[in-house]
Amino acid sequence: MAATTTTRPQLRYEQVKQYITEHINRGEWSVGERLPSESELVETLGVSRMTVHRALRELMAEGLVTRAQGVGTFVAKPVPRATLLELHDIADDIIAAGHIHTQKVITLESVRADVDLAMAFDQRPGAKLFHSVIVHFEDKIPLQVEERYVSPHFVPDYLDHDFATLHPHRLLTHISRPDEMEHVIFAITPDKQLQHLLELEEPTTACLQLVRRTWVQGKTVMKGIFTYPGNRYSLGGRYQV
């Protein structure tokens, strides 16, 4: 008997993204051209406004469109983007370099999802999520602020773990390695909390911020926001072409 494979059914916001992307790729909407409004897309595609809003937010994060408040959404000029095939646990990177890794738990709590988190997890606003903030140190120098939102359905006992010693990355991958992963990297000016946690002497020090989402069996199980001082850490990947 031949082996069968199952594929995750396409979610509604992904269908909206595909609809917009195909129009752009076919040249029907060119660079700088205004896209149909959210209301027009809702009527044309028969989906909710939240679904359209999420699709546009993700297309903006991917650099395909730009949005101007009160004006509309426009086709963006293409920009190069490097692909990171794999990112390791920060603790493994520090130890592999011959340095001492330590970590400090700042926050470990249960929260209710706001609109952005609800869209990220494909849940309703107010859905329960677990939230953690941990600072990772290399030889007592802060190298990364790791903020994670985790689905309680994926790790029901997430808040019971001792993250002063256990690495969340290892816990999550031990339960199940992700089927899909999304990485988006930003250059940011840190807010006061990040300045404090990273012990930055200059408030204008540029930081790298990686936003990661992971899926298991078609469901979003984690959203992570990882912030690094730009003068202490770099992100990169190597792969065969």
Side-chain angles (χ1 to χ4, degrees):
M1 181 182 294
T4 60
T5 58
T6 59
T7 57
R8 174 174 64 83
Q10 192 177 42
L11 299 175
R12 300 300 297 273
Y13 79 91
E14 293 174 334
Q15 295 173 5
V16 177
K17 289 176 65 177
Q18 181 178 341
Y19 173 83
I20 295 172
T21 301
E22 288 179 350
H23 276 72
I24 293 174
N25 290 340
R26 290 197 299 262
E28 296 175 13
W29 298 334
S30 56
V31 173
E33 184 174 347
R34 183 179 180 276
L35 270 61
S37 68
E38 289 190 11
S39 298
E40 291 171 327
L41 289 170
V42 166
E43 183 176 352
T44 299
L45 301 176
V47 297
S48 69
R49 182 175 292 273
M50 178 177 286
T51 297
V52 171
H53 185 66
R54 175 174 180 175
L56 293 175
R57 281 178 58 86
E58 293 203 1
L59 289 172
M60 183 172 64
E62 294 167 12
L64 196 64
V65 303
T66 59
R67 307 187 73 184
Q69 185 68 32
V71 180
T73 304
F74 301 83
V75 180
K77 181 179 179 180
V79 296
R81 171 177 288 180
T83 300
L84 299 176
L85 297 185
E86 183 176 4
L87 290 175
H88 302 103
D89 184 0
I90 186 71
D92 293 336
D93 287 342
I94 292 172
I95 294 170
H99 298 282
I100 297 173
H101 168 264
T102 54
Q103 60 196 55
K104 179 180 180 181
V105 178
I106 306 300
T107 301
L108 188 60
E109 62 183 356
S110 174
V111 299
R112 295 293 176 179
D114 59 15
V115 173
D116 287 342
L117 284 171
M119 289 192 295
F121 281 84
D122 202 24
Q123 298 284 339
R124 294 180 181 274
K128 181 180 178 181
L129 295 172
F130 295 143
H131 176 228
S132 62
V133 178
I134 299 172
V135 181
H136 293 270
F137 298 82
E138 179 184 75
D139 297 336
K140 298 184 179 180
I141 299 174
L143 200 61
Q144 180 200 74
V145 174
E146 168 197 321
E147 181 174 18
R148 292 182 189 264
Y149 294 92
V150 178
S151 168
H153 301 291
F154 184 60
V155 196
D157 61 347
Y158 186 79
L159 299 183
D160 297 330
H161 290 278
D162 180 12
F163 291 121
T165 55
L166 176 66
H167 308 158
H169 174 84
R170 294 177 185 174
L171 170 66
L172 297 175
T173 54
H174 176 74
I175 295 171
S176 176
R177 295 194 65 85
D179 305 323
E180 296 181 53
M181 188 177 296
E182 174 189 77
H183 293 146
V184 182
I185 298 174
F186 303 91
I188 68 163
T189 299
D191 59 22
K192 290 185 178 180
Q193 182 184 18
L194 286 173
Q195 292 170 28
H196 172 70
L197 295 177
L198 291 171
E199 299 178 10
L200 300 176
E201 296 181 359
E202 295 293 333
T204 56
T205 300
C207 290
L208 294 173
Q209 190 167 83
L210 167 70
V211 179
R212 175 192 298 171
R213 281 197 300 158
T214 56
W215 288 262
V216 173
Q217 296 182 354
K219 295 183 179 180
T220 308
V221 299
M222 193 279 297
K223 177 180 179 179
I225 304 168
F226 308 91
T227 307
Y228 313 79
N231 58 357
R232 300 178 196 162
Y233 198 80
S234 62
L235 296 168
R238 177 176 176 175
Y239 56 94
Q240 291 185 330
V241 179

